[in-house]
């Protein structure tokens, strides 16, 4: 919220291993944290990396949450948006 994308990205990256260990890789909070990492990666200007992260996340969200879940739909939308940005 303070506009510090790199700081937010660092914190989410630090949180992810603990969530994966405690909740598991398929827990919705773990998936949401991966989404936050992708988002903040994009905010730092790394368009190709954000696309890679969202594309890796999407199949897991579809499998765990379902294809019509709001988080899954948001990831699809982010992929489409960043694909346009990357062109």
């Amino acid at each position: 919220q303070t506009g510090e994308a790199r700081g937010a990205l660092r914190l989410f990256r630090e949180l992810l291993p603990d969530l994966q260990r405690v909740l598991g890789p398929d827990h919705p909070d773990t998936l949401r944290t991966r989404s936050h990492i992708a988002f903040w990666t994009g905010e730092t200007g790394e368009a190709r990396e954000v696309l890679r992260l969202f594309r890796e996340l999407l199949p897991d969200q579809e499998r765990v949450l379902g294809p019509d879940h709001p988080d899954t739909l948001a990831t699809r939308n982010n992929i489409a948006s960043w694909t346009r940005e990357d062109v």
Side-chain angles (χ1 to χ4, degrees):
Q1 288 183 338
T2 63
E4 297 182 21
R6 293 199 188 282
L9 179 57
R10 180 182 53 80
L11 292 173
F12 280 114
R13 282 182 175 159
E14 289 175 4
L15 176 62
L16 184 60
D18 291 335
L19 290 175
Q20 289 172 324
R21 180 178 47 79
V22 174
L23 301 176
D26 290 340
H27 191 280
D29 289 346
T30 304
L31 296 174
R32 196 166 299 114
T33 297
R34 289 175 57 198
S35 180
H36 288 306
I37 290 170
F39 172 83
W40 288 109
T41 297
E43 291 296 303
T44 66
E46 300 178 45
R48 283 195 164 73
E49 181 66 4
V50 70
L51 274 171
R52 183 186 70 76
L53 292 170
F54 276 130
R55 285 177 177 150
E56 286 180 358
L57 174 61
L58 183 59
D60 294 336
Q61 286 179 318
E62 289 174 332
R63 179 176 46 79
V64 174
L65 303 174
D68 297 325
H69 188 279
D71 290 352
T72 306
L73 297 174
T75 295
R76 277 199 205 102
N77 185 54
N78 283 319
I79 291 170
S81 295
W82 279 103
T83 299
R84 285 191 296 274
E85 292 280 327
D86 193 41
V87 173

